[in-house]
Amino acid sequence: MQDPTDTAPLDVPSLELSIYLAGEIHSDWRDRFRDLLAGRGIEATFLGPQEDHGLSDDIGEKILGTQPGPRYRDLEGARVNTLRTRVHLRYADLVVACFTDTYRQWNTAADAGQAVAAGIPLVLVRAEEHVHALKELDALADLTVETLEQAAEAVAYITRR
Amino acid sequence: MQDPTDTAPLDVPSLELSIYLAGEIHSDWRDRFRDLLAGRGIEATFLGPQEDHGLSDDIGEKILGTQPGPRYRDLEGARVNTLRTRVHLRYADLVVACFTDTYRQWNTAADAGQAVAAGIPLVLVRAEEHVHALKELDALADLTVETLEQAAEAVAYITRR
Amino acid sequence: MQDPTDTAPLDVPSLELSIYLAGEIHSDWRDRFRDLLAGRGIEATFLGPQEDHGLSDDIGEKILGTQPGPRYRDLEGARVNTLRTRVHLRYADLVVACFTDTYRQWNTAADAGQAVAAGIPLVLVRAEEHVHALKELDALADLTVETLEQAAEAVAYITRR
Amino acid sequence: MQDPTDTAPLDVPSLELSIYLAGEIHSDWRDRFRDLLAGRGIEATFLGPQEDHGLSDDIGEKILGTQPGPRYRDLEGARVNTLRTRVHLRYADLVVACFTDTYRQWNTAADAGQAVAAGIPLVLVRAEEHVHALKELDALADLTVETLEQAAEAVAYITRR
Amino acid sequence: MQDPTDTAPLDVPSLELSIYLAGEIHSDWRDRFRDLLAGRGIEATFLGPQEDHGLSDDIGEKILGTQPGPRYRDLEGARVNTLRTRVHLRYADLVVACFTDTYRQWNTAADAGQAVAAGIPLVLVRAEEHVHALKELDALADLTVETLEQAAEAVAYITRR
Amino acid sequence: MQDPTDTAPLDVPSLELSIYLAGEIHSDWRDRFRDLLAGRGIEATFLGPQEDHGLSDDIGEKILGTQPGPRYRDLEGARVNTLRTRVHLRYADLVVACFTDTYRQWNTAADAGQAVAAGIPLVLVRAEEHVHALKELDALADLTVETLEQAAEAVAYITRR
Amino acid sequence: MQDPTDTAPLDVPSLELSIYLAGEIHSDWRDRFRDLLAGRGIEATFLGPQEDHGLSDDIGEKILGTQPGPRYRDLEGARVNTLRTRVHLRYADLVVACFTDTYRQWNTAADAGQAVAAGIPLVLVRAEEHVHALKELDALADLTVETLEQAAEAVAYITRR
Amino acid sequence: MQDPTDTAPLDVPSLELSIYLAGEIHSDWRDRFRDLLAGRGIEATFLGPQEDHGLSDDIGEKILGTQPGPRYRDLEGARVNTLRTRVHLRYADLVVACFTDTYRQWNTAADAGQAVAAGIPLVLVRAEEHVHALKELDALADLTVETLEQAAEAVAYITRR
């Protein structure tokens, strides 16, 4: 490539992505990821599930009132949560699906599957211990990394000229 | 979740949705719903059918002149109305379909069906008396509520971090 | 056109369509429509909702057991019914949506809306009394007729060379 | 409905579906499900992942030879497996996703997510103990049941007139 | 290529296409094209508009009864015709759009445009005199030829190994 | 509807559409249509073919140099023109296809067909003399009018609350 | 997994795929691949470009007559070839793209790119020498192998229960 | 066309496209193309692969650390690169694919194939020496030119009224 200072404008523009952050809502991984991008000077719109775990569990009855038993309490809460997910995914340019070291995280896998089938590019984040259990999602993802720092580096690489 | 005041920016951004309001155009439910969102500080673009019922019925002949008899007067009016609906639905991030207590409301059901098939997230609003007659639309919708206040709470939940 | 006996094969082939019959399940209109096609020598695969009304209402609890109250009894039944509808609509080459003279028929309208949005050709059948209330579905449909005989004539026209 | 013996043909046709069976490949749940359908006289084409667990794990190195270390052994095996899954899902009219009582089952969740986003109807099978962890997939599925017998009943309901 | 008699089966299979024949319905070009394919031993399913011109014009009133004036007589006839076209185009693997030397042929152009936008491969047939007027359709088509014999040769080329 | 001055904001927002103007490029109908919208206070982005007829015919050789004969001169010009059309149609919220009283206008019909198949709402403008020849496009369009004033009224109706 | 001889039917059915064979048409790799599948008892429909290289180059002028110079001779031949490719790709369940050791093979890469974007599963075959030059296609493919035998093994794996 | 100074606004707006620049990343053709557009006063957003060739080759190991051997070093680098390509292509209104006089350029052909299948308009740039080898891509592209100046002229033509 020619010296970019010759022909390119001084202020190289960067893409501003809308990134859906799929993963559990118990730990603070989203805050850490947002900080990692901010620390690299990357602006983005962050989408994702409700991050307040208590509110996420209660939202069905909070809106609709007490339901008859735990199954319908859960179903109604989940309907509000999936409404949110479907609206947010329509905006997403990129899904970052992060598996951490505990919880079932079936929503993370389902969101990743939805991204693949909907043609939304997918970055998978998972530690070495999950290599085998997540090998098919590794193959389906566009990129698989082990840490949030690596995911942030990848986002930097794709948004900067 | 960590205390959001630690790491999140002070001014948490919110999604600004384009919401198609499907339902009858005789009562003032759209105004009440817009007020409920405004009262919660939610900005949105509102889409939907022509809300002036007389104009909605007359628009075919108003544009094209007198037609031969009521069937073609109705068909031409409806062609203008469906042109509007199709253009608006292309912009919609969310459809709120509200069934009230009278009128046939077949357009409401048809619009809801279109939203489902087009992959546009759908919130159904219907009172308890219509639970049985609308049970399949309940199952097709992402969320079903009984009041406009509940629908506004759901919109608040999905647009706010 | 030249005399077809000159150049066309003697046995002109006809398309064998899969037709989804949307409409209420209380009257025998589907049987009458199937007879009308059979009487014209038209073979087709017929798709549609469960036609046994009692079974349609009971199917949720029949499969899943008693649910807590009528709303969830209805929702679970409806989930089975919409599963059926979604599977059948994927096979449909044509939807015939028939509005008769009673019942709410919101499912008929929702199915018609789904057909329109999914790009499945749609024939609407409705008597003169419903011209005004169904004028937008008239504009969205490919063809609107008043009787099942007329609908059968239209199917004959499109399946025969 | 009228007495079907009056107007319907004697041999009522039934849909023959292609059903993708998503779930773990350690237990014999697919054999039991196939038996349940066969016992109800339902013919279907069954699709799904490789059911021989050892072969599923080995297939990458079996085709490509030894890879450098477990991560790439897993990735290459997974690429063959996801190739299979993608080909099979293109044929599927219905996905039955079954969660059993052990293993991580992230592939099950990812396959279910793909079915939802690809518009393939989805039946979720999960025991009561997983109601909470799978509540969002419950809301996304067309139907959720607790046992394979219930799933077989649902398939019977949608394939029979 | 190796001598195909060595390794290939003796009876090389050929694709059996469904071909939509777009064009005017006044002359016998479809019969000639069907004969040209038959003469080359090519079997195909032929789709297209109603070829009986009188029936095509009358079909609206034939099904629905007399309409109020020529515009609505034409519109209702056209609704039946476009219902047929939409059903047939869903089956088409290939559209052959033939412009002859007279008539307005706006339907031919509209059908060709629909094929392009729907991703259905398109062969355009037009004589030299129309090169300029049809230059954009020439650019949009996959192939443009001047005679039906050439179109038949192209079909032979794509269906035979 | 309630008095809008009570609850609606004073400045009712209007949709700002991107409108593709399909039709011949010899007369000044686009300027007249743009004036009609401007006169109604409607802002829009106008898309469409190159309106300078000479440039439209010359553009292939202007870019690529002299081609061997009229057919390839036309084809190369048309390739540039259809590149433009395809880029513009991707932006269009609405297609207005206007048939005037002369020229072949096959591009107009092809563009209208593309709009229909691509799901872009379509308004057809044609004088009474073309009712019969354009009856199928009348049936495919969302709305058919006879004058540009009527088309402008329809645009006003769908963009204004 | 249970012993399959207990519960599975004796004659396990296998998927019969339509496989598009993308690659150069100078060597006999397709015959070898077809033999490899036949030797494994796998029946498939084989799709792909014209394998007679001379015919592939001549087909444009063979159908349309002599063109003015090599560029248009090539363009017209290519239009017939791409017509064939587009028709065949619509039938394909799987694309096997094979890069051999000479020729430019840009069509192979373009066909592979089309398969990826159209959602058709893709197996890439390339020798070790091309690892670097084809690394992005390796990442886009569902599976990458080095020999036709390996590709045949993969097809066997995905078509057999 | 009427004198545009009469009715058109003085400042004719132009489309601002997002253009994906597919091609090798060794020479400075992208800088030259950007300069050619800038010299014509055309503003655009430029998308494309990483233009720093060394970084493009190293990015996998730069993010993930040393991989076991060249094949996986290449695959991981390519996964980051294709993640970038997929994100960028979702934004693209137009793809300009430029073949220069050396390198294998299989990525260029694969990107062009993806653009065709994804419905993104495509301009092909290739010198006369590559006419034969690229004849099928010539037929698939919307427009084929020989120089970057010609491509810039085409972009000017489609973005300016």
Side-chain angles (χ1 to χ4, degrees):
Chain A
M1 197 176 71
Q2 299 302 98
D3 178 356
T5 59
D6 284 350
T7 58
L10 284 184
D11 49 338
V12 175
S14 63
L15 283 179
E16 225 183 286
L17 301 179
S18 294
I19 308 177
Y20 186 93
L21 302 175
E24 45 85 1
I25 57 175
H26 300 264
S27 74
D28 68 341
W29 74 268
R30 281 181 190 79
D31 286 328
R32 286 190 287 122
F33 186 65
R34 286 186 282 247
D35 284 351
L36 288 166
L37 288 189
R40 282 158 178 80
I42 297 169
E43 295 191 37
T45 300
F46 295 103
L47 304 160
Q50 171 56 245
E51 297 176 35
D52 179 335
H53 183 248
L55 179 56
S56 170
D57 274 1
D58 296 342
I59 188 65
E61 295 197 332
K62 193 157 175 293
I63 291 180
L64 291 167
T66 304
Q67 300 300 307
R71 195 268 166 130
Y72 287 115
R73 167 186 153 84
D74 275 343
L75 180 63
E76 295 296 352
R79 291 183 81 174
V80 188
N81 286 327
T82 55
L83 174 71
R84 177 177 170 129
T85 300
R86 290 194 66 219
V87 170
H88 284 221
L89 277 177
R90 286 167 58 94
Y91 278 95
D93 301 310
L94 178 68
V95 169
V96 174
C98 177
F99 285 81
T100 55
D101 54 3
T102 184
Y103 315 108
R104 290 218 175 260
Q105 306 182 83
W106 283 327
N107 281 351
T108 317
D111 287 350
Q114 286 193 77
V116 167
I120 309 173
L122 172 68
V123 174
L124 179 67
V125 187
R126 58 94 188 87
E128 197 184 353
E129 65 181 313
H130 290 326
V131 162
H132 185 70
L134 287 169
K135 68 185 196 294
E136 273 80 21
L137 268 175
D138 182 0
L140 287 170
D142 293 277
L143 176 67
T144 301
V145 298
E146 297 199 353
T147 66
L148 293 172
E149 284 74 13
Q150 292 171 337
E153 281 300 299
V155 171
Y157 182 79
I158 64 179
T159 54
R160 294 241 175 89
R161 184 170 148 200
Chain B
M1 197 176 70
Q2 298 302 98
D3 177 355
T5 59
D6 284 350
T7 59
L10 284 183
D11 48 337
V12 176
S14 62
L15 284 180
E16 225 184 287
L17 301 179
S18 293
I19 307 177
Y20 186 93
L21 302 176
E24 44 86 358
I25 56 175
H26 300 264
S27 73
D28 68 342
W29 74 268
R30 281 180 190 80
D31 286 328
R32 286 190 288 122
F33 186 65
R34 286 186 282 247
D35 284 350
L36 288 165
L37 288 189
R40 282 159 178 79
I42 297 170
E43 295 191 35
T45 300
F46 295 103
L47 304 160
Q50 172 56 246
E51 297 176 35
D52 178 334
H53 183 249
L55 179 57
S56 171
D57 274 2
D58 295 342
I59 188 63
E61 295 197 334
K62 192 158 175 293
I63 290 181
L64 292 167
T66 304
Q67 300 299 309
R71 197 269 166 130
Y72 286 115
R73 166 185 153 84
D74 274 343
L75 180 62
E76 294 298 353
R79 291 183 81 174
V80 188
N81 286 327
T82 55
L83 174 71
R84 177 176 171 129
T85 300
R86 290 194 66 219
V87 170
H88 284 220
L89 277 178
R90 287 167 58 93
Y91 278 97
D93 300 310
L94 179 68
V95 169
V96 174
C98 177
F99 285 82
T100 54
D101 53 4
T102 184
Y103 315 109
R104 290 219 173 258
Q105 305 182 82
W106 283 327
N107 281 352
T108 317
D111 287 350
Q114 286 193 77
V116 166
I120 309 173
L122 173 67
V123 174
L124 179 66
V125 186
R126 58 93 189 86
E128 197 184 353
E129 65 181 312
H130 290 326
V131 162
H132 185 69
L134 286 168
K135 67 184 195 295
E136 274 78 22
L137 268 175
D138 182 0
L140 287 170
D142 293 277
L143 177 66
T144 300
V145 298
E146 297 199 353
T147 67
L148 292 172
E149 284 74 13
Q150 292 172 337
E153 281 300 299
V155 171
Y157 182 79
I158 65 178
T159 55
R160 296 242 174 88
R161 186 170 146 199
Chain C
M1 194 177 71
Q2 298 303 98
D3 176 358
T5 61
D6 285 349
T7 59
L10 284 184
D11 49 338
V12 174
S14 63
L15 283 180
E16 224 183 287
L17 300 179
S18 293
I19 307 177
Y20 186 93
L21 302 176
E24 45 85 0
I25 56 175
H26 300 264
S27 73
D28 68 343
W29 73 269
R30 281 181 190 78
D31 286 328
R32 287 189 287 122
F33 186 66
R34 285 186 283 248
D35 285 350
L36 288 166
L37 288 189
R40 283 160 177 78
I42 298 170
E43 295 191 38
T45 301
F46 295 103
L47 305 160
Q50 173 56 245
E51 297 176 36
D52 179 334
H53 183 248
L55 179 57
S56 171
D57 274 1
D58 294 342
I59 187 63
E61 294 197 334
K62 192 157 175 293
I63 291 181
L64 291 167
T66 304
Q67 300 300 307
R71 195 268 166 130
Y72 286 114
R73 166 185 153 85
D74 274 342
L75 180 63
E76 293 297 351
R79 291 183 80 174
V80 189
N81 287 327
T82 53
L83 175 70
R84 176 176 171 129
T85 301
R86 288 195 66 218
V87 170
H88 284 220
L89 277 178
R90 286 167 59 92
Y91 278 95
D93 300 311
L94 178 68
V95 169
V96 174
C98 177
F99 285 82
T100 54
D101 54 3
T102 183
Y103 314 111
R104 290 217 174 260
Q105 305 183 87
W106 283 327
N107 280 352
T108 317
D111 287 351
Q114 284 193 78
V116 166
I120 308 172
L122 172 67
V123 173
L124 179 66
V125 187
R126 57 96 188 84
E128 196 184 352
E129 65 181 313
H130 291 326
V131 162
H132 185 69
L134 287 168
K135 68 184 196 295
E136 272 80 22
L137 268 175
D138 182 0
L140 287 170
D142 293 278
L143 176 66
T144 300
V145 298
E146 297 199 354
T147 68
L148 292 172
E149 285 74 11
Q150 292 172 337
E153 281 300 299
V155 171
Y157 182 80
I158 65 178
T159 56
R160 294 238 176 92
R161 186 172 145 199
Chain D
M1 195 177 70
Q2 298 302 98
D3 177 358
T5 59
D6 284 350
T7 58
L10 283 184
D11 49 339
V12 175
S14 64
L15 283 180
E16 224 183 287
L17 300 180
S18 294
I19 308 178
Y20 186 93
L21 302 176
E24 45 85 1
I25 58 175
H26 300 264
S27 74
D28 67 344
W29 74 268
R30 281 182 190 78
D31 286 328
R32 287 190 286 123
F33 187 64
R34 285 185 283 246
D35 285 350
L36 288 166
L37 288 189
R40 282 161 177 78
I42 297 169
E43 295 191 36
T45 300
F46 294 104
L47 305 160
Q50 172 57 244
E51 297 177 34
D52 179 334
H53 184 247
L55 179 57
S56 170
D57 275 1
D58 295 342
I59 187 64
E61 295 196 334
K62 194 159 175 291
I63 290 180
L64 292 167
T66 304
Q67 300 300 308
R71 195 267 164 128
Y72 287 115
R73 167 185 153 84
D74 275 343
L75 180 62
E76 294 297 351
R79 291 183 81 175
V80 189
N81 286 327
T82 53
L83 174 70
R84 176 176 171 128
T85 300
R86 289 194 67 218
V87 170
H88 285 220
L89 276 178
R90 286 167 60 93
Y91 279 95
D93 300 312
L94 178 69
V95 169
V96 174
C98 177
F99 285 81
T100 55
D101 54 3
T102 183
Y103 315 109
R104 289 220 175 257
Q105 306 183 85
W106 283 327
N107 281 351
T108 318
D111 288 350
Q114 285 193 77
V116 167
I120 308 173
L122 172 68
V123 173
L124 179 67
V125 186
R126 57 95 187 86
E128 197 185 351
E129 64 180 313
H130 290 326
V131 162
H132 185 68
L134 286 168
K135 67 185 197 292
E136 273 79 22
L137 268 174
D138 182 359
L140 287 170
D142 293 278
L143 177 66
T144 300
V145 298
E146 297 199 353
T147 68
L148 293 170
E149 284 75 13
Q150 293 171 337
E153 281 299 300
V155 172
Y157 182 79
I158 64 177
T159 55
R160 295 241 176 88
R161 186 172 144 198
Chain E
M1 195 177 71
Q2 298 302 97
D3 177 357
T5 60
D6 285 349
T7 58
L10 284 183
D11 48 339
V12 174
S14 62
L15 283 179
E16 224 183 287
L17 301 179
S18 293
I19 307 177
Y20 186 92
L21 302 177
E24 45 85 359
I25 57 175
H26 299 265
S27 73
D28 68 344
W29 73 270
R30 281 182 191 78
D31 286 328
R32 287 189 287 121
F33 186 65
R34 284 186 283 246
D35 285 350
L36 288 165
L37 288 189
R40 281 159 178 78
I42 297 170
E43 295 191 35
T45 300
F46 294 104
L47 305 160
Q50 173 55 245
E51 298 176 36
D52 180 333
H53 183 247
L55 179 56
S56 171
D57 274 1
D58 295 342
I59 188 62
E61 295 198 334
K62 192 158 177 292
I63 291 180
L64 291 167
T66 304
Q67 300 300 308
R71 196 269 165 129
Y72 285 115
R73 167 185 153 85
D74 274 343
L75 180 63
E76 294 298 351
R79 290 183 81 174
V80 189
N81 286 327
T82 54
L83 174 70
R84 177 176 170 129
T85 300
R86 289 194 66 218
V87 170
H88 284 220
L89 276 178
R90 286 166 61 93
Y91 279 96
D93 300 311
L94 179 68
V95 169
V96 174
C98 177
F99 285 81
T100 54
D101 54 3
T102 184
Y103 315 109
R104 290 218 174 259
Q105 306 182 85
W106 282 327
N107 280 352
T108 318
D111 287 351
Q114 285 193 77
V116 166
I120 308 172
L122 173 68
V123 174
L124 178 67
V125 187
R126 57 96 187 84
E128 197 185 352
E129 65 181 312
H130 290 327
V131 162
H132 185 70
L134 287 168
K135 68 185 198 292
E136 272 79 21
L137 268 175
D138 182 0
L140 287 170
D142 293 278
L143 177 66
T144 301
V145 298
E146 296 200 353
T147 68
L148 292 172
E149 284 74 12
Q150 293 172 336
E153 281 301 299
V155 171
Y157 182 80
I158 64 178
T159 56
R160 295 239 176 91
R161 184 172 144 200
Chain F
M1 197 177 68
Q2 299 301 100
D3 177 355
T5 58
D6 284 349
T7 59
L10 283 184
D11 49 337
V12 175
S14 63
L15 283 180
E16 223 183 287
L17 300 179
S18 293
I19 307 177
Y20 186 92
L21 302 176
E24 44 85 359
I25 56 174
H26 299 264
S27 73
D28 67 343
W29 74 269
R30 282 181 189 79
D31 286 328
R32 286 190 288 123
F33 187 64
R34 285 186 283 247
D35 284 350
L36 288 165
L37 289 189
R40 282 158 177 79
I42 297 170
E43 295 192 35
T45 300
F46 295 103
L47 305 160
Q50 173 55 244
E51 297 177 36
D52 179 334
H53 183 248
L55 179 57
S56 170
D57 274 1
D58 294 342
I59 187 64
E61 295 197 334
K62 192 157 176 293
I63 290 181
L64 292 166
T66 304
Q67 299 299 308
R71 196 268 167 130
Y72 287 115
R73 167 186 152 85
D74 274 344
L75 180 62
E76 294 298 350
R79 289 183 82 174
V80 189
N81 285 328
T82 54
L83 174 71
R84 177 178 171 129
T85 300
R86 288 194 67 219
V87 170
H88 285 219
L89 277 177
R90 286 166 60 93
Y91 278 96
D93 301 310
L94 178 68
V95 169
V96 174
C98 177
F99 285 82
T100 54
D101 53 4
T102 185
Y103 316 109
R104 290 219 173 259
Q105 306 183 81
W106 282 327
N107 281 352
T108 317
D111 287 351
Q114 286 193 78
V116 166
I120 309 173
L122 172 67
V123 173
L124 179 67
V125 186
R126 58 92 189 88
E128 197 184 353
E129 64 181 314
H130 290 326
V131 161
H132 185 69
L134 286 169
K135 68 185 195 295
E136 272 80 21
L137 268 175
D138 182 359
L140 287 169
D142 293 278
L143 176 67
T144 301
V145 299
E146 298 200 353
T147 67
L148 293 171
E149 284 74 12
Q150 292 172 336
E153 281 299 299
V155 172
Y157 182 79
I158 65 178
T159 55
R160 295 245 174 85
R161 187 171 145 197
Chain G
M1 194 176 72
Q2 298 302 99
D3 177 358
T5 61
D6 284 349
T7 58
L10 284 183
D11 50 338
V12 175
S14 64
L15 283 180
E16 224 183 286
L17 301 180
S18 293
I19 307 178
Y20 186 93
L21 302 176
E24 45 84 1
I25 57 175
H26 300 264
S27 73
D28 68 344
W29 73 269
R30 282 183 189 77
D31 286 328
R32 288 190 287 123
F33 186 66
R34 284 186 283 245
D35 285 349
L36 288 166
L37 288 189
R40 282 161 178 78
I42 297 169
E43 295 191 37
T45 300
F46 295 102
L47 305 160
Q50 172 55 245
E51 297 176 35
D52 180 334
H53 184 248
L55 179 56
S56 171
D57 274 0
D58 295 342
I59 188 64
E61 294 197 335
K62 193 159 177 290
I63 290 180
L64 292 168
T66 304
Q67 299 301 308
R71 196 270 164 126
Y72 287 115
R73 167 185 153 85
D74 275 343
L75 180 63
E76 294 297 351
R79 291 183 81 174
V80 189
N81 286 327
T82 53
L83 175 70
R84 178 178 170 127
T85 301
R86 290 194 66 218
V87 170
H88 285 220
L89 277 178
R90 285 166 61 92
Y91 278 95
D93 300 311
L94 179 68
V95 169
V96 174
C98 178
F99 285 81
T100 55
D101 54 3
T102 183
Y103 316 108
R104 289 216 174 262
Q105 306 182 84
W106 283 327
N107 280 351
T108 318
D111 287 352
Q114 285 193 76
V116 166
I120 308 173
L122 172 68
V123 174
L124 179 66
V125 186
R126 58 93 186 88
E128 196 184 354
E129 64 181 314
H130 290 326
V131 162
H132 186 70
L134 286 168
K135 67 185 198 293
E136 272 79 22
L137 268 174
D138 182 0
L140 287 170
D142 292 278
L143 177 66
T144 300
V145 298
E146 297 198 354
T147 68
L148 292 171
E149 284 75 12
Q150 292 171 337
E153 281 300 300
V155 172
Y157 182 80
I158 64 178
T159 55
R160 295 240 176 90
R161 183 170 146 200
Chain H
M1 196 176 70
Q2 298 301 98
D3 178 356
T5 58
D6 284 351
T7 59
L10 283 184
D11 49 338
V12 174
S14 63
L15 283 180
E16 224 183 287
L17 301 179
S18 293
I19 307 177
Y20 186 92
L21 302 176
E24 45 85 1
I25 57 175
H26 300 265
S27 74
D28 67 342
W29 73 269
R30 280 180 190 78
D31 287 327
R32 286 190 288 123
F33 186 65
R34 285 186 282 247
D35 284 350
L36 288 165
L37 288 189
R40 282 159 178 80
I42 297 170
E43 295 192 35
T45 300
F46 295 103
L47 305 160
Q50 172 56 243
E51 296 176 36
D52 179 334
H53 183 247
L55 179 57
S56 170
D57 274 1
D58 295 343
I59 188 64
E61 295 197 334
K62 193 159 177 289
I63 291 180
L64 292 167
T66 305
Q67 300 299 308
R71 195 270 166 129
Y72 287 116
R73 168 185 152 85
D74 275 343
L75 181 62
E76 294 297 351
R79 290 183 81 174
V80 190
N81 286 327
T82 53
L83 174 70
R84 177 177 171 129
T85 301
R86 289 194 66 219
V87 170
H88 284 220
L89 277 177
R90 286 166 60 93
Y91 279 95
D93 301 311
L94 178 68
V95 169
V96 174
C98 177
F99 285 81
T100 55
D101 54 3
T102 185
Y103 316 107
R104 290 217 174 260
Q105 306 183 83
W106 283 328
N107 281 352
T108 317
D111 287 351
Q114 286 193 77
V116 166
I120 308 173
L122 172 67
V123 174
L124 179 66
V125 186
R126 57 94 188 87
E128 196 183 354
E129 64 180 315
H130 290 327
V131 162
H132 185 69
L134 286 168
K135 68 185 195 294
E136 272 80 21
L137 268 174
D138 182 0
L140 286 170
D142 293 279
L143 176 67
T144 300
V145 299
E146 298 200 353
T147 67
L148 292 172
E149 284 73 14
Q150 293 172 337
E153 282 300 299
V155 172
Y157 182 78
I158 64 178
T159 55
R160 295 243 175 87
R161 186 170 146 199

